[in-house]
Amino acid sequence: MARAVLRWAETRVQLLVDGICAISVTPHGYKCEEHELQTDDGYILNMQRIPEGRAGGSMGGQKKQPVLIQHDGITGFMNSPEQNLPMILADNGFDVWISNNRGTQFSRKHVSLDPAPPEYWDWSWVELVTYDLPAVFGFVFNHTGQKIHYIGHSLGSLIALTSFSEGHQADQGKSATFLCPIAYLSHLKTKLVLLAAKAFVGDILKMFGMAEFNPKGPEVAAFLKILCANPGLNCYDLVSEISGKNCCLNSSTIGFFLQHEPQSTATKNLVHLAQNGVINKYDYGRDGNLKHYGQAKPAVYNISNIPRDLPIFISHGGLDPLSDVEDVGLLLDLLKLHDVSKLSVQFLKSYAHLDFIMAVNANGFVYNQIVQFFRNQH
């Protein structure tokens, strides 16, 4: 156990020193660039770029189409180049960019704050919509001069759906792919997440004094210990308890995943996600809402306002307790007026939440379909 902890610490330190490119991309023969950009509210975000595949060169002399992947860095590189999405896209002639949200392992800088004080963590996914997503879209667009194919997994889908519904990034986006969209969380199927959600809506901030929710920190360990005392929970397999019975992960990938994931986020962000019966701004309670918004209830985002001619590909799984089939159905209902020729939906009955980014067969079931979807957009 001590040796495993030491290896994890050494790997994490090496990643922080060398970056994702040096550890996970260039050893496989790909060019890779590390970038930093600043949001309008002062957070400094880390990005990676894989400008071409291992074969190099351009596709028929044409400029490579940019793809922006939002799933926080290292997660996308846990399998071999033939099985991970960023490298598959690069080998298929795309200019691949990977974004890391604020607060995660590689995006913990700020122009005036460090991650220790609570002020650094005073944000939820609304700030990711308002500041992070426009910053990364603008950065990629300014570098490439082309409209962008967007891929969001889980939270990455929520922030893009919300942003597009507000009319943002519409002039810079070429298409959108949503894997395991979590626009709604009304039908969660995992008892641990349900209990956690109830705790988040309650007084967890006061109970633990947590501004940062660090899954590997002692405060979260104490929180999980309380939750896991409830009968019927299998806390010996937290991956399955939280993300569902993933069909197609290999053991080495799971081990690597647990070394680096899940990433830190703001506790306020998890509180907000726990409020997601509808897609609304952060609910501070009646008095707080009056103070922040000038009204008793937070404003609701209207997903049906997404431009109907935006090409959208949605892929979700039958065993995913976070992106539940019924909740995805609520999302699709809001998109019922979308141009039918611009909306594609894939349902994989045996897939759970992590299969979409780590399954050994996701290249055949999901990634090849994404590549074809992108190529169909002219």
Side-chain angles (χ1 to χ4, degrees), residues 2-16:
R3 289 182 179 177
V5 171
L6 181 60
R7 283 197 301 273
W8 172 82
E10 290 173 344
T11 305
R12 185 175 186 275
V13 168
Q14 193 65 35
L15 278 167
L16 290 173

Side-chain angles (χ1 to χ4, degrees), residues 6-254:
L6 181 60
R7 283 197 301 273
W8 172 82
E10 290 173 344
T11 305
R12 185 175 186 275
V13 168
Q14 193 65 35
L15 278 167
L16 290 173
V17 170
D18 293 337
I20 291 175
C21 281
I23 297 298
S24 299
V25 183
T26 55
H28 295 290
Y30 295 81
K31 293 181 180 179
C32 189
E33 304 167 1
E34 297 277 356
H35 294 270
E36 284 190 340
L37 60 144
Q38 182 180 319
T39 68
D40 285 346
D41 60 343
Y43 288 82
I44 299 172
L45 308 180
N46 174 247
M47 292 188 75
Q48 288 72 44
R49 181 190 192 184
I50 309 176
E52 59 185 45
R54 281 180 290 190
S58 61
M59 300 298 289
Q62 299 179 345
K63 293 182 70 174
K64 294 177 181 292
Q65 191 72 45
V67 177
L68 171 60
I69 303 176
Q70 179 65 62
H71 59 37
D72 290 325
I74 198 70
T75 309
F77 299 108
M78 293 188 177
N79 285 327
S80 68
E82 295 75 24
Q83 295 175 331
N84 77 63
L85 181 56
M87 293 178 185
I88 287 172
L89 288 168
D91 284 335
N92 276 277
F94 294 96
D95 180 2
V96 182
W97 298 74
I98 300 99
S99 176
N100 299 276
N101 283 331
R102 63 179 65 189
T104 53
Q105 184 175 1
F106 301 97
S107 294
R108 294 175 70 86
K109 298 180 184 178
H110 189 277
V111 294
S112 61
L113 298 171
D114 65 62
E119 290 79 13
Y120 178 94
W121 300 98
D122 186 19
W123 50 267
S124 76
W125 57 261
V126 168
E127 280 70 31
L128 305 185
V129 173
T130 307
Y131 299 109
D132 288 29
L133 198 63
V136 297
F137 254 89
F139 191 82
V140 174
F141 186 79
N142 289 336
H143 270 76
T144 65
Q146 297 189 79
K147 289 191 173 185
I148 301 158
H149 292 298
Y150 178 85
I151 301 174
H153 175 257
S154 196
L155 180 63
S157 62
L158 173 61
I159 61 176
L161 285 163
T162 306
S163 180
F164 296 153
S165 76
E166 294 283 284
H168 305 310
Q169 282 74 60
D171 59 334
Q172 297 173 339
K174 190 173 182 67
S175 75
T177 292
F178 302 124
L179 306 177
C180 315
I182 57 167
Y184 293 94
L185 293 171
S186 302
H187 298 88
L188 290 170
K189 292 294 194 294
T190 161
K191 186 175 180 180
L192 177 62
V193 176
L194 283 169
L195 289 170
K198 290 179 181 178
F200 288 132
V201 173
D203 292 327
I204 185 174
L205 283 171
K206 295 178 182 177
M207 287 168 55
F208 293 95
M210 284 190 293
E212 174 185 3
F213 191 88
N214 177 4
K216 292 179 168 47
E219 296 89 353
V220 174
F223 174 57
L224 285 174
K225 186 175 181 180
I226 293 172
L227 294 184
C228 290
N230 285 270
L233 288 181
N234 178 19
C235 288
Y236 292 99
D237 184 6
L238 285 175
V239 171
S240 296
E241 188 65 42
I242 294 172
S243 66
K245 295 183 178 180
N246 298 277
C247 71
C248 307
L249 312 184
N250 65 42
S251 57
S252 61
T253 301
I254 295 174

Side-chain angles (χ1 to χ4, degrees), residues 219-294:
E219 296 89 353
V220 174
F223 174 57
L224 285 174
K225 186 175 181 180
I226 293 172
L227 294 184
C228 290
N230 285 270
L233 288 181
N234 178 19
C235 288
Y236 292 99
D237 184 6
L238 285 175
V239 171
S240 296
E241 188 65 42
I242 294 172
S243 66
K245 295 183 178 180
N246 298 277
C247 71
C248 307
L249 312 184
N250 65 42
S251 57
S252 61
T253 301
I254 295 174
F256 193 52
F257 174 81
L258 290 174
Q259 287 179 3
H260 302 284
E261 303 290 340
Q263 296 278 327
S264 285
T265 189
T267 302
K268 183 178 180 181
N269 186 38
L270 296 180
V271 173
H272 193 183
L273 288 168
Q275 298 173 351
N276 267 29
V278 293
I279 307 175
N280 53 253
K281 293 188 176 181
Y282 190 90
D283 191 345
Y284 292 92
R286 186 181 185 280
D287 292 343
N289 291 336
L290 287 171
K291 178 181 177 181
H292 283 83
Y293 311 124

